[in-house]
């Protein structure tokens, strides 16, 4: 059994998912969809920064282009922390291709000329 | 003994030590000031009411009365030549009852004895001068010679003037022991051992224990904390004078005053505390608020930008101690300099140097003494054309760092280029007012930290807020080495 | 080169300023200048590297820097004039603007001004944080700048006071960058952040949230934070004795609210409301004709998408003003916020509004199943049912011109529990 707060709308229903994936506590059907996906395959977009050289700014922001499994956040951060880019960089530049073979790239989210 | 390290060592760079250093620099004598904090004006001299009291209030015949009255007279000219903001706005001590009005008469008598001009004004005149004062007030004692001052620059520019005229200052240095070898002292600090003829103990809260190395005193110091509110400068005309309640046993009471920067200061409380306890607590602040609202009912506490506490070194016998030690006449001991210490400081300094030290060392005038400090430039108060010219000659004055107080990069660089240069965020705040406004450095602190880092060539992780160890950012991320 | 005259000067080149300038340009105002103090356009979004922006504005989920770049690319594509590294030091009621930068001190005349200077963070002084004042006590946004733009951690053992979204977002960012976040204390009995952030920034990382708790003491040594104490509070926010919990930490992040950054407006003579934003009519015009305001300097928004939407609407009214369609001699009907409502915008509505008016408000505490009622005397003019309203989410309700016509003296707004 797991307890969740629904994030689909401001109401924030307190959901309970039992071992048979029955959802209770939801005000509307969207709560069920949210709860099932959270207990079966929770995913998150990771946003962070990477080192940047050749710039007055020592960091540039990045994100995983698509959500990755929640369980992989720590491992992806370790990869992100190893990367160093050189200015100029622009939005969409690939910082890490196919990070940890998850099929997702880590991409730059800011334009920095110098 | 010849070849002494210094003629005079001054311990402490608060408002007393800084003034003494300045007056000493008028003479041909070798002076070292040692200060345990990393800036001048770091303790009680920093956190107080910053009022240049008129001097009507101290008991006649006390050192407090003598130096307050004398110090008050020195402030206008001294502030002018040291480029310190000072305004003689006068003070009003408010009587809330007929009984209080009788007390005002006795205060007036005391003022007459102290030689301080005062006037008792009635309800109507009071409300004319101060429309926001509680309309229930019966009248007030007007002391026109009271003033307000920028306490930080006052200390700093006293020290700057001393340094410009040859005094040396060591920060982050504290005395571990002093030995009296009759015609000289050996003074051991955390850094070095010095010899000197005269020691001037202006160590504030530390003065008592330093003096106790040589002498047992028949008084004690009981640190008393005072907490304050600071309001933003968006209520012009809330009060035009420093507003006091009637003085009581505990002191001058909770005042409401404009400050040199147009802010409002409300406080202080008076509670027994430890000397280094600068904490604030909600119950005390609530008490101050209630007291202040009694004087001025419309104080806009929604404009609150900061609360702070200062600690007075209050002597149990209620008077200053300024004298050579009995058996060690070359050790000048200054202790228990609580309020009105700030206003008294220039007069105390003249007395100490001219009456106590000069007879010992018999030094000559320093003919190269420069009585002024380099004036500061504040673009925001300049006329448009002058400001344009200034920026054309130095673009740093066009770059605004502190949005709230409109302080330019040029002003901060100028402060760092002076002899009494600031090393910390707080030291810059004290000298330039960057970070003094409503965002309290939320926006400018990172910019000021980077300026310090660049100017002194230290990594950002080494930039401190105030004391040593108060680093703002401690670690680089992602395994980077310090830049 | 800054010119001496503009039709519209936009002060603050963040999301509100850029969206306003873009919309104004599209409406036909060509002589526009945006002034910003930073060395880029985009304001605070530059340091908001997390995602969740743009779902309504661009119909996709973007990070802060991506969102601001979409807008700044458009500003540049439209050739809207902008000047960076420039601080407006004051404005006068006659719409003279004084601006300072390294090139000089500039005096600019504008026909209309849009002030979009954002907000600042409420800090330790303003909340009378008890105890000592060591370093390590820092507002969440300042810590965010140090972390996301410069690459520094304030400390490694962090406690957070206030459950505002910046604090929650920082809880996750600090955790990902190797700091230990010990907990978040919130004085209210409910969170002030979005549920999404409670889940994805706290619960994902097992960071405890202490509701009805506040920091009751701060301890430092040699100027550096050593630890804090939190205590539970009662319904009057008074500390309940015996509930103290201590935490050893080197950092206390404050996420205790944002305040409109409105001193420029105030110094110009603009009347401010209790929340420090300007008092505005339905056209987002202040008491000074031709000075308009939008975004977080007016009222703090929960989403940047709402900021840009507001600013675009204001651009429309600026255009009407510049075309001479401002009705100066109209009589204003004050908008009165009833119990349970923090504020309602606009503060007043003229007798001749140009369009329907969207009222924006926040509740003071979470409520369920309420009717939001617009009324005068005993007459309900509009009633809208809301299943849930929470303080951290702004609500909008639009009244038509016909509905607005029915109000004579005042427009009252109240909440009523649905039976």
């Amino acid at each position: 059994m797991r307890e969740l707060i629904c994030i689909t709308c401001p109401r924030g229903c307190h959901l309970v998912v039992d071992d048979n994936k029955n959802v209770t506590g939801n005000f509307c059907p969207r709560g069920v969809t949210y709860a099932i996906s959270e207990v079966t395959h929770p995913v998150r977009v990771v946003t962070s920064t990477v080192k940047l050289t050749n710039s007055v700014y020592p960091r540039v922001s990045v994100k995983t282009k698509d959500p990755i499994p929640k369980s992989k956040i720590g491992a992806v951060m370790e990869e992100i922390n190893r990367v160093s880019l050189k200015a100029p960089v622009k939005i969409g530049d690939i910082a890490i291709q196919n990070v940890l073979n998850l099929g997702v790239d880590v991409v730059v989210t800011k334009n920095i000329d110098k | 003994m010849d070849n002494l390290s210094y003629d005079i060592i001054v311990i402490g760079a608060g408002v007393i030590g800084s003034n003494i250093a300045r007056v000493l620099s008028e003479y041909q004598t070798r002076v070292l000031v040692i200060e345990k904090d990393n800036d001048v004006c770091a303790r009680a001299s920093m956190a107080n009411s910053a009022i240049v009291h008129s001097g009507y209030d101290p008991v006649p015949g006390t050192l407090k009365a003598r130096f307050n009255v004398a110090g008050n007279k020195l402030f206008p000219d001294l502030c002018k030549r040291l480029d310190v903001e000072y305004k003689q706005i006068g003070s009003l001590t408010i009587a809330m009852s007929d009984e209080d009005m009788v007390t005002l008469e006795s205060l007036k008598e005391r003022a007459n004895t102290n030689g301080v001009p005062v006037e008792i004004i009635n309800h109507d005149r009071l409300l004319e001068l101060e429309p926001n004062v509680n309309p229930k007030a019966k009248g007030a004692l007007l002391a026109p010679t009271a003033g307000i001052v920028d306490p930080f620059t006052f200390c700093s520019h006293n020290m700057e003037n001393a340094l410009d005229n040859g005094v040396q200052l060591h920060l982050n240095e504290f005395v571990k022991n002093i030995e009296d070898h009759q015609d000289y002292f050996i003074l051991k600090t955390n850094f070095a051992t010095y010899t000197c003829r005269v020691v001037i103990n202006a160590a504030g809260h530390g003065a008592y224990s330093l003096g106790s190395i040589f002498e047992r005193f028949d008084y004690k110091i009981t640190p008393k904390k005072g907490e304050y509110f600071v309001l933003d400068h968006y209520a012009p005309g809330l009060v035009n004078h420093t507003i006091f309640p009637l003085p009581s046993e505990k002191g001058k009471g909770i005042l409401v005053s404009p400050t040199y920067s147009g802010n409002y200061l409300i406080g202080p409380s008076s509670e027994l505390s430890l000397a280094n306890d600068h904490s604030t607590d909600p119950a005390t602040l609530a008490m101050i608020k209630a007291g202040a609202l009694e004087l001025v009912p419309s104080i806009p506490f929604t404009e609150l930008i900061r609360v702070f506490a200062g600690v007075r070194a209050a002597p149990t016998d209620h008077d200053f101690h300024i004298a050579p030690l009995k058996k060690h006449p070359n050790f000048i001991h200054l202790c228990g300099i609580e309020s009105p210490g700030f206003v008294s400081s220039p007069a105390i300094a003249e007395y100490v140097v001219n009456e106590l030290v000069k007879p010992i060392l018999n030094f000559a005038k320093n003919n190269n003494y420069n009585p002024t400090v380099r004036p500061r430039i504040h673009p925001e108060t300049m006329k448009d054309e002058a400001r344009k010219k200034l920026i054309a000659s130095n673009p740093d004055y066009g770059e605004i760092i502190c949005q709230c107080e409109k302080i330019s990069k040029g002003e901060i660089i100028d402060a760092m280029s002076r002899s009494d240069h600031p090393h910390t965020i707080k030291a810059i705040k004290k000298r330039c007012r960057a970070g003094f406004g409503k965002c309290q450095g939320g926006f400018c602190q990172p910019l000021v930290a980077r300026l310090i880092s660049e100017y002194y060539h230290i990594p950002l992780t080494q930039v401190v807020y105030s004391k040593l160890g108060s680093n703002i950012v401690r670690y680089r991320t992602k395994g980077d080495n310090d830049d | 080169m800054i010119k001496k005259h503009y039709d519209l000067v936009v002060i603050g080149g963040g999301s509100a300023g850029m969206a306003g300038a873009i919309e104004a340009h599209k409406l036909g105002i060509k002589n526009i200048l945006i002034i910003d103090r930073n060395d880029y356009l985009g304001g605070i979004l530059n340091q908001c590297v997390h995602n969740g922006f743009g779902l309504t504005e661009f119909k996709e989920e973007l990070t802060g820097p991506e969102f601001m770049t979409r807008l700044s690319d458009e500003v540049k594509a439209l050739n809207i004039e902008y000047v960076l590294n420039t601080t407006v030091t004051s404005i006068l009621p006659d719409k003279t603007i004084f601006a300072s930068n390294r090139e000089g001190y500039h005096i600019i005349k504008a026909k209309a001004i849009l002030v979009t200077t954002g907000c600042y963070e409420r800090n330790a002084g303003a909340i009378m944080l008890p105890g000592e004042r060591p370093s390590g006590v820092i507002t969440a946004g300042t810590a965010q700048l140090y972390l996301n733009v410069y690459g520094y951690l304030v400390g490694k053992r962090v406690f957070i006071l206030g459950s505002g979204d910046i604090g929650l977002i920082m809880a996750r960012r600090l955790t990902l960058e190797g700091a230990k976040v010990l907990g978040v204390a919130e004085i209210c009995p409910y969170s002030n952040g979005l549920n999404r952030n409670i889940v994805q920034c706290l619960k994902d990382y097992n960071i405890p949230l202490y509701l009805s708790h506040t920091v009751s003491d701060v301890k430092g040594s040699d100027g550096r934070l050593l630890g804090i104490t939190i205590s539970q509070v009662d319904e009057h926010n008074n500390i309940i004795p015996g509930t103290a919990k201590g935490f050893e930490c080197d950092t206390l992040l404050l996420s205790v609210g944002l305040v409109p950054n409105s001193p420029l407006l105030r110094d110009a003579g603009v009347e401010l409301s209790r929340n420090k934003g300007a008092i505005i009519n339905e056209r987002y015009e202040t008491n000074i004709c031709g000075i308009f305001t939008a975004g977080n300097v007016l009222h703090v928004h929960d989403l940047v998408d709402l900021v840009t939407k507001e600013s675009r609407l204001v651009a429309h009214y600026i255009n009407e003003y510049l075309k001479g369609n401002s009705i100066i001699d109209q009589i204003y009907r004050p908008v009165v916020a009833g119990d349970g409502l923090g504020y309602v915008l606009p503060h007043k509505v003229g007798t001749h509004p140009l369009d329907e008016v969207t009222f924006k408000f926040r509740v003071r505490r979470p409520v369920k199943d309420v009717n939001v009622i617009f009324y005068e005397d005993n007459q309900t003019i509009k009633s809208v049912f809301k299943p849930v309203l929470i303080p951290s989410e702004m609500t909008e309700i639009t009244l038509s011109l016909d509905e607005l016509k029915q109000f004579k003296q005042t427009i009252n707004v109240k909440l009523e529990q649905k039976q």
Side-chain angles (χ1 to χ4, degrees):
Chain A
M1 196 185 81
R2 274 190 60 195
E3 290 181 28
L4 301 167
I5 299 172
C6 184
I7 64 169
T8 327
C9 86
R11 194 174 182 101
C13 293
H14 286 257
L15 309 175
V16 178
V17 190
D18 71 13
D19 297 340
N20 299 322
K21 299 203 167 63
N22 292 318
V23 180
T24 50
N26 58 306
F27 183 77
C28 75
R30 288 183 299 174
V32 178
T33 317
Y34 170 76
I36 297 297
S37 102
E38 268 298 281
V39 295
T40 52
H41 183 60
V43 292
R44 302 284 186 267
V45 168
V46 174
T47 58
S48 185
T49 60
V50 299
K51 285 186 253 189
L52 185 68
T53 58
N54 195 36
S55 167
V56 291
Y57 295 104
R59 296 287 181 271
V60 64
S61 56
V62 296
K63 68 175 181 186
T64 57
K65 204 164 190 306
D66 292 299
I68 57 149
K70 197 178 130 186
S71 59
K72 298 288 182 191
I73 293 174
V76 167
M77 270 306 294
E78 278 181 32
E79 296 301 311
I80 285 173
N81 286 344
R82 271 198 270 273
V83 175
S84 181
L85 300 178
K86 189 171 175 218
V89 287
K90 60 180 197 307
I91 291 175
D93 283 358
I94 293 176
I96 308 173
Q97 196 146 29
N98 188 15
V99 63
L100 296 175
N101 289 315
L102 295 170
V104 176
D105 295 339
V106 174
V107 295
V108 169
T109 58
K110 194 187 281 188
N111 296 336
I112 296 183
D113 298 335
K114 55 182 175 20
Chain B
M1 184 177 136
D2 296 329
N3 303 322
L4 294 174
S5 331
Y6 294 94
D7 297 324
I8 305 162
I9 292 182
V10 181
I11 306 168
V15 70
I16 303 294
S18 301
N19 269 278
I20 290 173
R22 168 186 50 84
V23 180
L24 285 173
S25 73
E26 293 176 24
Y27 297 95
Q28 294 181 33
T29 181
R30 297 171 308 137
V31 182
L32 170 68
V33 182
I34 64 175
E35 165 55 50
K36 74 173 161 47
D37 280 304
N38 57 2
D39 192 19
V40 302
C41 188
R43 302 280 164 143
S45 305
M46 170 176 76
N48 58 71
S49 306
I51 304 294
V52 181
H53 294 287
S54 63
Y56 83 79
D57 163 54
V59 178
T62 59
L63 292 183
K64 281 186 179 178
R66 169 181 170 184
F67 290 118
N68 184 344
V69 175
N72 177 284
K73 289 182 181 146
L74 294 174
F75 257 81
D77 285 346
L78 185 57
C79 287
K80 197 177 273 177
R81 75 174 161 102
L82 294 180
D83 185 32
V84 177
E85 285 193 60
Y86 161 80
K87 286 177 194 148
Q88 202 168 82
I89 59 169
S91 70
L92 287 164
T93 304
I94 308 291
M96 294 302 293
S97 65
D98 294 332
E99 204 178 307
D100 287 356
M101 287 301 284
V102 177
T103 312
L104 287 192
E105 291 293 343
S106 66
L107 291 176
K108 186 181 172 187
E109 241 168 75
R110 190 184 277 194
N112 291 341
T113 315
N114 287 344
V116 176
V118 294
E119 180 190 343
I120 291 177
I121 60 171
N122 64 18
H123 168 93
D124 292 356
R125 175 92 175 107
L126 171 62
L127 270 289
E128 204 177 288
L129 290 174
E130 292 291 358
N132 294 319
V133 155
N134 191 340
K136 287 184 204 146
K138 300 282 178 188
L141 185 75
L142 170 65
T145 54
I148 51 177
V149 68
D150 169 356
F152 321 114
T153 312
F154 183 71
C155 283
S156 168
H157 283 195
N158 264 287
M159 187 57 75
E160 179 178 329
N161 184 245
L163 298 175
D164 288 348
N165 288 296
V167 168
Q168 288 183 34
L169 169 67
H170 291 179
L171 297 172
N172 303 310
E173 186 163 352
F174 57 88
V175 176
K176 295 177 90 167
N177 194 29
I178 309 173
E179 290 167 14
D180 188 348
H181 290 253
Q182 297 306 320
D183 54 349
Y184 68 98
F185 291 92
I186 297 179
L187 194 142
K188 289 199 172 98
T189 74
N190 54 329
F191 282 139
T193 299
Y194 308 103
T195 49
C196 63
R197 279 288 300 283
V198 173
V199 170
I200 299 177
N201 174 18
H205 283 285
Y208 191 87
S209 62
L210 281 177
S212 299
I213 296 174
F214 299 113
E215 189 171 317
R216 279 180 69 88
F217 302 113
D218 53 8
Y219 61 91
K220 288 204 159 35
I221 300 294
T222 48
K224 279 187 192 154
K225 184 164 75 174
E227 301 183 27
Y228 292 87
F229 292 92
V230 186
L231 303 189
D232 201 0
H233 43 68
Y234 283 102
L238 174 69
V239 290
N240 308 305
H241 301 72
T242 301
I243 310 291
F244 291 103
L246 283 191
S248 74
E249 289 226 323
K250 289 188 104 180
K252 297 185 193 72
I254 293 157
L255 60 82
V256 180
S257 182
T259 70
Y260 74 99
S261 52
N263 296 66
Y264 291 95
L265 191 68
I266 294 148
S269 54
S270 182
E271 329 136 45
L272 289 177
S273 74
L274 297 173
N276 60 357
D277 175 8
H278 296 92
S279 65
T280 57
D281 82 283
T284 307
L285 289 168
M287 184 273 294
I288 295 170
K289 187 172 174 178
L293 288 172
E294 182 68 20
L295 288 177
V296 185
S298 59
I299 296 171
F301 279 94
T302 48
E303 299 298 322
L304 174 67
I305 55 173
R306 191 173 182 83
V307 292
F308 71 89
V311 185
R312 315 163 179 90
T316 47
D317 60 357
H318 307 296
D319 202 7
F320 299 158
H321 293 269
I322 302 165
L325 292 182
K326 288 182 193 119
K327 293 181 185 160
H328 305 268
N330 292 358
F331 186 104
I332 317 288
H333 179 66
L334 295 98
C335 195
I337 317 278
E338 58 171 343
S339 178
F342 204 95
V343 53
S344 302
S345 60
I348 292 174
E350 291 199 351
Y351 169 73
V352 165
V353 174
N354 294 320
E355 310 288 326
L356 304 181
V357 181
K358 206 173 168 190
I360 303 169
L361 294 174
N362 200 23
F363 37 49
K365 273 269 172 200
N366 170 5
N367 293 324
N368 298 320
Y369 176 73
N370 175 2
T372 62
V373 301
R374 188 169 88 227
R376 291 171 299 168
I377 299 170
H378 184 39
E380 184 60 18
T381 53
M382 292 172 82
K383 294 228 161 37
D384 296 344
E385 288 312 308
R387 188 168 184 169
K388 285 179 184 176
K389 265 190 204 151
L390 171 69
I391 296 171
S393 71
N394 183 351
D396 284 346
Y397 285 103
E399 190 176 336
I400 304 292
I401 299 289
C402 168
Q403 309 284 321
C404 299
E405 301 294 310
K406 291 158 191 156
I407 308 299
S408 63
K409 180 178 175 180
E411 289 159 84
I412 295 171
I413 301 279
D414 171 68
M416 291 194 289
S417 73
R418 287 167 184 263
S419 53
D420 175 42
H421 44 276
H423 301 82
T424 71
I425 301 280
K426 182 112 174 216
I428 285 179
K429 180 178 169 184
K430 279 152 65 179
R431 285 161 181 79
C432 306
R433 290 221 324 270
F436 234 101
K438 57 168 63 241
C439 88
Q440 288 286 294
F443 289 127
C444 71
Q445 190 206 72
L447 303 173
V448 173
R450 279 156 57 92
L451 284 180
I452 294 173
S453 162
E454 282 164 26
Y455 191 87
Y456 295 112
H457 305 290
I458 55 171
L460 202 61
T461 46
Q462 298 301 313
V463 175
V464 297
Y465 175 69
S466 55
K467 294 176 205 167
L468 285 179
S470 65
N471 306 55
I472 292 167
V473 290
R474 310 213 111 183
Y475 311 99
R476 299 225 62 181
T477 58
K478 303 177 197 298
D480 267 4
N481 294 324
D482 269 349
D483 31 22
Chain C
M1 192 60 200
I2 299 175
K3 294 179 293 192
K4 286 194 164 55
H5 295 273
Y6 291 89
D7 291 336
L8 171 62
V9 172
V10 178
I11 303 173
S15 46
M18 288 196 285
I22 290 166
E23 189 67 17
H25 185 277
K26 287 179 179 169
L27 289 167
I29 306 172
K30 293 301 175 222
N31 193 15
I32 303 173
L33 174 69
I34 304 173
I35 304 177
D36 196 90
R37 65 183 157 104
N38 286 314
D39 64 354
Y40 60 88
L41 287 172
I44 209 70
L45 286 177
N46 186 51
Q47 67 189 59
C48 302
V49 304
H50 54 282
N51 64 346
F53 304 97
L55 285 168
T56 44
E57 176 80 29
F58 297 112
K59 310 289 178 239
E60 61 179 299
E61 190 161 10
L62 301 172
T63 63
E66 290 171 311
F67 187 104
M68 77 180 201
T69 307
R70 294 275 175 106
L71 291 176
S72 63
D73 282 351
E74 197 170 354
V75 166
K76 289 166 193 170
L78 295 172
N79 279 320
I80 296 172
E81 207 176 318
Y82 62 92
V83 55
L84 300 174
N85 299 307
T86 303
T87 299
V88 172
T89 54
S90 57
I91 51 185
L92 297 180
D94 70 355
K95 294 177 282 294
T96 305
I97 295 159
F98 299 86
S100 184
N101 62 18
R102 295 185 67 86
E103 281 70 54
Y105 188 60
H106 311 272
I107 300 166
I108 305 157
K109 294 286 281 182
K111 288 182 187 156
I113 298 176
L114 173 58
V115 177
T116 48
T117 45
C119 54
Y120 68 93
E121 296 181 278
R122 188 169 285 131
N123 46 59
I127 63 164
M128 291 200 277
L129 187 71
E132 294 172 46
R133 272 146 201 68
S135 82
V137 179
I138 189 167
T139 55
T142 305
Q144 187 182 48
L145 174 75
Y146 281 126
L147 181 62
N148 289 345
V149 178
Y150 299 127
Y152 293 89
L153 279 173
V154 170
K156 286 193 173 168
R157 282 179 69 83
V158 183
F159 196 90
I160 299 175
L161 174 60
S163 64
D165 286 310
I166 311 169
L168 301 178
I169 294 282
M170 278 302 286
R172 176 175 60 187
R173 275 294 292 140
L174 288 161
T175 305
L176 291 179
E177 294 286 354
K180 172 74 184 163
V181 179
L182 304 165
V184 177
E186 169 56 55
I187 197 165
C188 298
Y190 48 85
S191 160
N192 276 308
L194 301 173
N195 280 324
R196 170 198 165 98
N197 288 334
I198 297 287
V199 171
Q200 299 195 349
C201 299
L202 298 187
K203 288 200 183 295
D204 274 6
Y205 301 93
N206 298 314
I207 297 168
L209 173 61
Y210 300 93
L211 294 175
S212 299
H213 276 74
T214 192
V215 171
S216 52
D217 198 14
V218 173
K219 284 270 177 263
S221 169
D222 289 330
R224 183 72 204 183
L225 182 64
L226 282 184
I228 59 145
T229 306
I230 66 168
S231 296
Q232 203 176 334
V233 296
D234 62 20
E235 61 271 32
H236 307 294
N237 286 348
N238 293 318
I239 283 165
I240 303 173
T243 58
K245 278 189 216 41
F247 293 88
E248 270 179 38
C249 54
D250 60 9
T251 305
L252 174 64
L253 283 196
L254 302 177
S255 177
V256 291
L258 301 168
V259 184
N261 185 20
S262 55
L264 265 184
L265 286 166
R266 167 141 61 173
D267 290 348
V270 168
E271 289 173 55
L272 301 186
S273 72
R274 208 177 43 190
N275 82 343
K276 308 278 192 223
I279 291 176
I280 52 152
N281 62 23
E282 77 280 5
R283 302 185 309 276
Y284 290 78
E285 190 178 23
T286 66
N287 59 308
I288 299 178
C289 282
I291 297 186
F292 296 81
T293 173
N296 283 353
V297 68
L298 177 58
H299 59 136
V300 175
H301 295 63
D302 17 275
L303 291 170
V304 68
D305 298 73
L306 297 173
V307 167
T308 48
K309 181 178 151 197
E310 179 171 285
S311 199
R312 264 195 259 281
L313 177 68
V314 179
H316 158 72
Y317 288 120
I318 293 172
N319 188 41
E320 294 297 326
Y321 170 82
L322 290 174
K323 287 196 304 195
N325 293 343
S326 242
I327 304 137
I328 291 161
D329 58 353
Q330 67 174 302
I331 296 158
Y332 285 104
R333 294 165 291 181
V335 178
V336 180
D339 284 349
L341 293 170
Y343 67 83
V344 180
L345 283 183
H347 303 90
K348 53 188 179 180
V349 177
T351 41
H352 306 93
L354 293 168
D355 314 286
E356 60 184 24
V357 173
T358 298
F359 292 86
K360 300 173 179 178
F361 63 91
R362 275 177 206 277
V363 290
R364 285 192 189 278
R365 54 191 68 82
V367 287
K368 280 190 178 163
D369 301 323
V370 290
N371 287 318
V372 182
I373 296 172
F374 289 77
Y375 70 101
E376 184 167 31
D377 300 327
N378 293 323
Q379 190 197 351
T380 294
I381 289 159
K382 187 170 183 117
S383 174
V384 179
F385 174 70
K386 292 284 175 184
V388 60
L389 293 173
I390 57 176
S392 55
E393 298 210 357
M394 188 179 82
T395 310
E396 297 185 341
I397 291 176
T398 302
L399 267 65
S400 68
L401 283 174
D402 278 346
E403 286 162 338
L404 290 167
K405 249 185 228 157
Q406 299 173 49
F407 293 94
K408 291 174 194 74
Q409 306 286 332
T410 53
I411 298 171
N412 302 284
V413 193
K414 67 175 176 185
L415 300 177
E416 205 172 75
Q417 198 67 43
K418 200 179 175 194
Q419 300 307 318

